[in-house]
Amino acid sequence: MTSRIPRDSRLRLVRPRPLAAAPRAVNQRRPRRPAPRPPEGTPARAELARMARSGLAAAARVAHWADAALGPGRAGGTSDGKGTLSDATAERAALALGLTAAQVRADWDTARLAGLVEVHGDSARPGWRLRAWDRDDSAVLRGWVALFDAWSLAHPEPERHEHGAVADVVSAMPQLLSFLQLSAGSVPVAQLLDLLEQRVTELRTERCEIPYGPRPEPVTVPAAAEDPSLAPLLDWALHALASVGALTYGDGQATLTPLGNWAVWVKLEQICVAAQSPAGNIEQSAEGMLRGCAQLRPNAARDEYRAWLAARPVGSAVTELLGAARGDDALLRGLAFEALRVVGAPAEPDVRAVADEPTLRPYALLWLAEHDGLDPEDAHEVLTREEATWLWVDTAAAVADHGEAPMLVRHLESAVQPTVPMLLDEVRAVGHPRTVQVLVALAAAHPDPALAKAVRRAAFQVHTGGS
């Protein structure tokens, strides 16, 4: 006679895998596309890397000095959480390098934007790109592209302009850069201004910026009180892009540098790849893009993430991804953080800022651990037992909603608890809003009748508030 007493089933301890890495049942292989060739006249990668090293030489010098002179565990910054150098450290670096303190601060800021220095809370440390600076052309080019992506932070924005107008110009600049790249030469600033005005008008129309309610009486404003022209903001944007080495700007003309031309071409190519793919998600919202990537293999999904990101300012893209992660769909939560891994260092401040939100905390802690250099296989060790259990339930909810029954059963193997009874006890205590649904789905899927009964009992106890 078979015993109906729930068995103390042992669970095999395995490394948890991200849900996004699980093979998809309806996965389709995409045909390999021949590697595209850059436009004629584009320098070889080694030459592009030499240009990038030259442009970032001052930033690399300050980063190397900080690595050698400060070292781990030594104070050298302020407590603002932004990795700002203290006055004493800036003066010390200026004396050692033969620079002014202002030059040191400017080079330090460039090093941070290029990923040569990584800021973590109140401290900073050398980035992996700095370690590979002299031997890895790819690391150098990635560092320069990171600086290029952050052009709007590299040069102070003009005063007396509302933030909305500045944001519109930042959002419109990819189109102007694409126009410069396709023009393959100098473009008059007047032509760029006309294109900018058209694009900003389109952006505001898409947002339906129509005033509601009774219209106020028109007020006559002196002409000098406000300049509605976008010309000053275009001037700022072109100067900022010139400051990072993406273009040259003068005599009423703007021209992409070889590095800028190559970077814009790479981003356009990423967009074209996504547009030709089965998913084609570049025009979707973050949520729509993530849903479109749910059935793709990890490499194919990362290609979609890169293309989607390339078509947007990095700041707004990160905000949109985190917004999707806050939704009710646990699968999208996991995929959003996979997309944020593709973003890399520019996403760190936003990810760190959401680490106190209970729904996002385990995902954010894992992201930050991997960003800090911890092996992804070991990153789960940064989670407390309760956080790991919460994440297990959240991932199980994603499997229950989008996966198959055997996959949910296999998900038991990723639990940190050594036995099923211990898992059930801690799952009941963790307070995840989907606990009941997850346990019911697991009970229905598990082939062991005794274990299924124990899981159903746990689901009932959570539902009724019993123990």
Side-chain angles (χ1 to χ4, degrees), residues 345-371:
E348 185 195 356
D350 296 273
V351 173
R352 195 172 294 281
V354 303
D356 290 332
E357 297 182 25
T359 302
L360 303 184
R361 180 172 176 78
Y363 294 94
L365 293 179
L366 290 177
W367 190 100
L368 291 168
E370 292 176 27
H371 179 67

Side-chain angles (χ1 to χ4, degrees), residues 280-305:
N281 295 295
I282 58 171
E283 295 185 0
Q284 298 286 333
S285 65
E287 181 176 339
M289 180 272 294
L290 295 171
R291 290 193 187 281
C293 294
Q295 302 301 330
L296 298 178
R297 285 187 179 274
N299 286 340
R302 278 191 288 272
D303 288 341
E304 295 287 334
Y305 302 151

Side-chain angles (χ1 to χ4, degrees), residues 60-414:
R61 187 182 179 206
V62 168
H64 278 302
W65 175 86
D67 184 22
L70 301 181
R74 303 184 197 174
T78 67
S79 58
D80 63 358
K82 299 178 181 178
T84 304
L85 289 179
S86 67
D87 292 339
T89 303
E91 292 291 346
R92 180 181 168 194
L95 183 63
L97 300 174
L99 303 171
T100 66
Q103 288 174 318
V104 168
R105 291 190 185 281
D107 293 338
W108 177 260
D109 288 341
T110 300
R112 288 166 53 200
L113 293 175
L116 300 177
V117 173
E118 296 176 355
V119 177
H120 303 278
D122 294 338
S123 63
R125 73 177 191 190
W128 68 269
R129 287 171 186 149
L130 186 66
R131 301 296 190 207
W133 195 247
D134 296 324
R135 56 180 170 77
D136 190 339
D137 288 348
S138 294
V140 174
L141 289 173
R142 287 183 184 181
W144 186 86
V145 170
L147 177 64
F148 170 65
D149 286 339
W151 65 265
S152 61
L153 304 177
H155 194 72
E157 65 185 59
E159 297 179 358
R160 297 187 302 277
H161 280 277
E162 62 175 16
H163 294 300
V166 174
D168 284 339
V169 170
V170 172
S171 298
M173 284 310 294
Q175 183 168 330
L176 271 68
L177 289 169
S178 300
F179 181 74
L180 280 166
Q181 198 272 336
L182 295 171
S183 298
S186 298
V187 175
V189 173
Q191 191 173 1
L192 292 175
L193 179 59
D194 183 58
L195 181 61
L196 176 63
E197 290 171 343
Q198 292 179 39
R199 181 57 183 149
V200 168
T201 299
E202 291 172 359
L203 290 170
R204 291 173 178 173
T205 302
E206 290 169 4
R207 293 198 300 266
C208 299
E209 291 188 350
I210 303 171
Y212 292 93
R215 292 175 176 267
E217 291 295 324
V219 178
T220 302
V221 179
E226 180 182 357
D227 180 10
S229 170
L230 293 173
L233 288 175
L234 176 61
D235 181 69
W236 159 70
L238 294 176
H239 272 112
L241 286 160
S243 74
V244 301
L247 53 77
T248 58
Y249 175 38
D251 298 325
Q253 304 278 328
T255 310
L256 287 177
T257 63
L259 270 173
N261 188 71
W262 167 78
V264 175
W265 171 79
V266 168
K267 292 182 179 297
L268 287 173
E269 185 60 30
Q270 290 173 342
I271 293 171
C272 290
V273 168
Q276 296 172 15
S277 73
N281 295 295
I282 58 171
E283 295 185 0
Q284 298 286 333
S285 65
E287 181 176 339
M289 180 272 294
L290 295 171
R291 290 193 187 281
C293 294
Q295 302 301 330
L296 298 178
R297 285 187 179 274
N299 286 340
R302 278 191 288 272
D303 288 341
E304 295 287 334
Y305 302 151
R306 291 189 185 98
W308 186 86
L309 291 164
R312 288 160 177 78
V314 65
S316 61
V318 170
T319 299
E320 199 173 337
L321 287 169
L322 289 173
R326 291 187 178 95
D328 295 331
D329 194 328
L331 177 62
L332 297 192
R333 194 153 29 252
L335 294 178
F337 277 86
E338 290 297 321
L340 288 168
R341 285 176 173 85
V342 174
V343 176
E348 185 195 356
D350 296 273
V351 173
R352 195 172 294 281
V354 303
D356 290 332
E357 297 182 25
T359 302
L360 303 184
R361 180 172 176 78
Y363 294 94
L365 293 179
L366 290 177
W367 190 100
L368 291 168
E370 292 176 27
H371 179 67
D372 287 349
L374 202 61
D375 191 304
E377 291 290 320
D378 301 323
H380 66 282
E381 295 175 2
V382 304
L383 302 180
T384 65
R385 180 82 161 228
E386 183 178 3
E387 290 163 350
T389 303
W390 195 100
L391 181 62
W392 184 91
V393 179
D394 204 52
T395 309
V399 176
D401 290 342
H402 301 277
E404 299 177 348
M407 192 175 179
L408 186 58
V409 174
R410 290 197 301 272
H411 185 57
L412 276 172
E413 298 176 349
S414 66

